[in-house]
Amino acid sequence: MCHQCNYEELLSNAKLSATNNRIRVLEVVGNNSFPLSAKDIFNTLERNSSINRVTVYRILDLLVDHGVVERISTGGRAFYYGLAPNSHHEPHPHFYCMNCGQMDCLSPESLTVDMDDFIKTFPGQIEKMEVRIDGICKNCGNKQ
Amino acid sequence: MCHQCNYEELLSNAKLSATNNRIRVLEVVGNNSFPLSAKDIFNTLERNSSINRVTVYRILDLLVDHGVVERISTGGRAFYYGLAPNSHHEPHPHFYCMNCGQMDCLSPESLTVDMDDFIKTFPGQIEKMEVRIDGICKNCGNKQ
DNA sequence: CGTACGATGTAACATAATTGCATTTAGTGA
DNA sequence: TCACTAAATGCAATTATGTTACATCGTACG
Ligand SMILES: [Mn+2]
Ligand SMILES: [Mn+2]
Ligand SMILES: [Zn+2]
Ligand SMILES: [Zn+2]
């Protein structure tokens, strides 16, 4: 849960008008301590009031394009979404449970990556780095 | 291209019978210097002689399950496949071009990750770690 | 041979995401 | 306030990727 982010402010900083649906999507993404799939986000929103599935996809795309939300790949078929790194959210790695699909955020210090040399020498344009651990979460492991 | 791998041997080491189709799939995966999608692999195989799309998926699943092939997630919707780390293939990060979908293997030393502390303290079971850089490759960048 | 089991082929299905187009909403200026 | 416009949203159809169910084939072994 993010107590330091003002979602309308995040939108306006990204030069996006703060429509009701955008705020709702961003609240669901931001108020979670772990990334969610588009379906999770849609289901959560539907519990309150109606929204179209496609609208959720479109808003997520838009927020990713504008750097407000981060699209995270998993060991599975769907993307997950979390708040993009910003002044109070450092980039960090994730753990993906191959059994239940739960994704956890790991602390930025838990895995340290040295990419300085890489950045200096790589001939292409670097957009982002993703570090993900796949495995079986504690909860799933306990059930054997 | 892997000159050090004997594909039939890789299969027998994994206790898998070396059927013609399995060898063909493994050759395509192993003879490439970069990971390929299931569709790429299928298309390559079809150019020589007929094989079913589903057979390719099944063989890839099997080889991944038996640790011969590695399933790699991308910034896109499809998984890519490469030879799994083994005695002459160290684990290494990849670069994914968000424009053309080309994935490149990076040298194991280019990005160094320290996960010792993490392994000691993480309560779940760790299967693999994936490090991926997303961006625009040199080739796509040159075309603006 | 004949049987059995693993491998493959084929069609149907499932899931996640995208596209095309219609409709609604919100903003802007007369 | 009203009309016009552009953006946002809804809805149906479609695409991309991967999986399942079941039939058939091929081969090892008695
Ligand atoms: Mn996170
Ligand atoms: Mn590789
Ligand atoms: Zn789990
Ligand atoms: Zn490219």
Side-chain angles (χ1 to χ4, degrees):
Chain A
M1 215 167 301
C2 184
H3 300 295
Q4 298 171 80
C5 290
N6 178 311
Y7 300 127
E8 302 199 27
E9 195 176 307
L10 281 180
L11 287 171
S12 73
N13 287 349
K15 303 192 198 308
L16 291 171
S17 60
T19 68
N20 192 38
N21 282 337
R22 287 175 187 169
I23 294 170
R24 291 175 68 203
V25 168
L26 193 48
E27 275 173 357
V28 172
V29 172
N31 291 348
N32 264 277
S33 56
F34 48 87
L36 298 170
S37 68
K39 179 187 257 189
D40 291 335
I41 295 164
F42 171 70
N43 287 339
T44 303
L45 290 169
E46 274 282 289
R47 264 182 249 127
N48 297 323
S49 74
S50 173
I51 189 171
N52 192 274
R53 198 173 60 87
V54 177
T55 301
V56 174
Y57 277 113
R58 277 197 285 234
I59 290 174
L60 287 171
D61 284 350
L62 187 80
L63 297 179
V64 169
D65 283 350
H66 286 72
V68 181
V69 161
E70 178 180 38
R71 174 180 284 128
I72 304 165
S73 70
T74 70
R77 292 179 55 185
F79 292 113
Y80 281 32
Y81 297 88
L83 281 187
N86 63 37
S87 50
H88 16 87
H89 295 286
E90 280 183 76
H92 55 267
H94 294 94
F95 177 84
Y96 177 75
C97 176
M98 298 156 73
N99 184 242
C100 66
Q102 171 77 34
M103 182 171 264
D104 295 318
C105 298
L106 306 178
S107 83
E109 312 81 36
S110 58
L111 289 166
T112 54
V113 181
D114 179 5
M115 60 184 302
D116 295 348
D117 285 352
F118 178 76
I119 290 174
K120 281 181 206 137
T121 59
F122 186 70
Q125 174 188 331
I126 295 170
E127 196 67 31
K128 64 174 283 206
M129 178 181 60
E130 195 177 286
V131 177
R132 194 188 67 248
I133 311 268
D134 289 339
I136 307 294
C137 75
K138 188 185 170 187
N139 196 31
C140 288
N142 289 341
K143 302 175 202 156
Q144 283 112 31
Chain B
M1 215 166 302
C2 184
H3 300 296
Q4 298 171 81
C5 289
N6 177 311
Y7 299 128
E8 302 200 28
E9 195 177 306
L10 281 181
L11 287 170
S12 73
N13 287 348
K15 303 193 199 306
L16 292 171
S17 60
T19 68
N20 193 37
N21 282 337
R22 286 175 187 169
I23 294 171
R24 291 175 68 202
V25 168
L26 193 47
E27 275 174 357
V28 172
V29 172
N31 290 349
N32 264 277
S33 57
F34 48 87
L36 298 170
S37 69
K39 180 187 256 189
D40 291 336
I41 295 164
F42 171 70
N43 288 339
T44 302
L45 290 169
E46 274 283 287
R47 263 182 251 126
N48 296 325
S49 74
S50 172
I51 189 170
N52 193 274
R53 195 174 66 89
V54 177
T55 301
V56 174
Y57 277 114
R58 277 197 287 234
I59 290 175
L60 287 170
D61 285 350
L62 188 80
L63 296 180
V64 169
D65 283 349
H66 286 72
V68 181
V69 161
E70 179 180 38
R71 173 181 284 127
I72 304 165
S73 71
T74 70
R77 292 176 54 181
F79 292 113
Y80 281 31
Y81 297 88
L83 282 187
N86 63 38
S87 51
H88 17 86
H89 294 286
E90 278 184 78
H92 54 267
H94 294 95
F95 176 84
Y96 177 75
C97 176
M98 298 156 74
N99 184 244
C100 66
Q102 170 77 32
M103 183 171 263
D104 295 318
C105 299
L106 306 178
S107 82
E109 313 81 35
S110 58
L111 289 166
T112 53
V113 181
D114 179 6
M115 60 184 302
D116 294 349
D117 286 352
F118 179 77
I119 290 173
K120 282 180 204 137
T121 59
F122 186 71
Q125 174 188 330
I126 296 170
E127 195 66 32
K128 65 175 282 205
M129 179 181 61
E130 196 176 285
V131 177
R132 194 188 67 248
I133 310 269
D134 289 340
I136 306 295
C137 75
K138 188 184 171 186
N139 197 31
C140 288
N142 288 342
K143 302 176 200 153
Q144 285 112 30

